[in-house]
Amino acid sequence: MLGELAVGRMQGGCVLLGLLCCLVAGVGSYTPWDLSWTARGDPSAWTWGAEAHSRAVAGSHPVDVQCQEAQLVVTVHRDLFGTGRLINAADLTLGPAACKHSSLNAAQNTVTFAAGLHECGSVVQVTPDALIYRTLINYDPSPASNPVIIRTNPAVIPIECHYPRRENVSSNAIRPTWSPFNSALSAEERLVFSLRLMSDDWSTERPFTGFQLGDILNIQAEVSTESHVPLRLFVDSCVAALSPDGDSSPHYAIIDFNGCLVDGRVDDTSSAFITPRPREDVLRFRIDVFRFAGDTRNLIYITCHLKVTPADQGPDPQNKACSFNKARNTWVPVEGSRDVCSCCETGNCEPSVLPRRLSPMDRWHGRRFRRDDGKEVAADVVIGPVLLSVDLGAMGQQQEDGDGAEVTVSSVEMGLLCVAMAVALAAVGVAVGIACKGCTRISAAA
């Protein structure tokens, strides 16, 4: 009886230990840096919304945003993460241009940024009903006094302001201070080019946050033709970068050579155009999520050059949408003959009259808006910032040892180690129980 009680108690303790270890591993994989706040602006009623991921932040609204008529005002509480430790105001900046704060409030421990809607590298998206301005708050902590250790991770907080178009982008409700648009452009015939980040079934737009490596970006390019003659839309080029400026470094070509989705040519990707088109003025494509090596902010901007041709004009090497089919080892067009994609492999799709093939950066220089002999209208469009969630469970947690070095222990490894220890202790408990039973029997026989 005593042996059975000992076994039961030891097995129960081992089960509790295993559950505790699993809990520790789960906590180790949780990251408080997956932050997603959104400010939505309306000229008649400014509203503020916070996503569920803000649970790690002190107070209900650690970041307050006012979307005013011609500027946005962002107020950040210095106890940003609810730890009671105030962050350094100099470590906060606004937008890809890293604009500095405009004022400090020592009594309330807040930092305030005030900037025009088109300042600090903000991006504007035009939808049928609204103008959406996107920017972000960057938190880049200063290095510790000892450079070999890290006490705080950087963070990025996305900000959005939504303004109703009210029939016309030049309505009195919103001052027309943009020309041309950073991320969309309206041509003389009221053509509005746009890029939209869509859900898996392409039915609705999705947020720009929460992506992880291995996910898919569904991007929809479209042009609002209104009363224009029927047009066919093409994505001439797309380049990813760390800012809305496609000329910045580093950058990565996704679509090149007048409509070749070159990212799909890489062995470990599934990037491709979606066929068939839903409409002639819409073109969809998907790309595998990636990030730039060494980028602590885990974000990307994608700048695409969109253009239209008359819908009755057939595709050609300069106006096409081609994906690489790995199963057939060949380039396949969304429409038209395969001959239009033959130049994707050689990388020479420019007209023969050009003396040389220009790089994507050269072709874009000074080409925010273009008309070619009355036949083609084009514009550069930016989508972003697209933010990736940081998974500390996959990255491993950094701990400081006595010499200031770093010891990296994955939470998954920690969990497996705890389970192994629990199983080993359970086996020991069973062995002890059997031994105790043997001792009991011998005593009884004696």
Side-chain angles (χ1 to χ4, degrees), residues 273-338:
F273 287 106
I274 304 300
T275 58
R277 297 174 182 254
R279 300 192 312 269
E280 291 293 334
D281 55 5
V282 174
L283 184 59
R284 293 169 171 172
F285 60 98
R286 51 181 289 166
I287 60 175
D288 294 75
V289 171
F290 63 91
R291 68 179 181 88
F292 287 97
D295 173 41
T296 58
R297 297 177 301 167
N298 292 293
L299 61 83
I300 58 172
Y301 289 85
I302 299 176
T303 302
C304 296
H305 187 75
L306 309 185
K307 64 184 180 183
V308 292
T309 62
D312 57 0
Q313 175 182 320
D316 56 54
Q318 288 76 50
N319 303 281
K320 62 185 182 298
C322 297
S323 304
F324 187 76
N325 188 317
K326 291 184 172 65
R328 300 180 180 180
N329 195 35
T330 186
W331 290 91
V332 180
V334 172
E335 60 260 313
S337 66
R338 293 188 179 182

Side-chain angles (χ1 to χ4, degrees), residues 18 64 70 75 89-90 94 114 128 136 155 209 230 282 407 411 431:
D64 178 73
T75 303
L94 176 66
L136 43 84
T209 60
V282 174
V407 180
S411 63

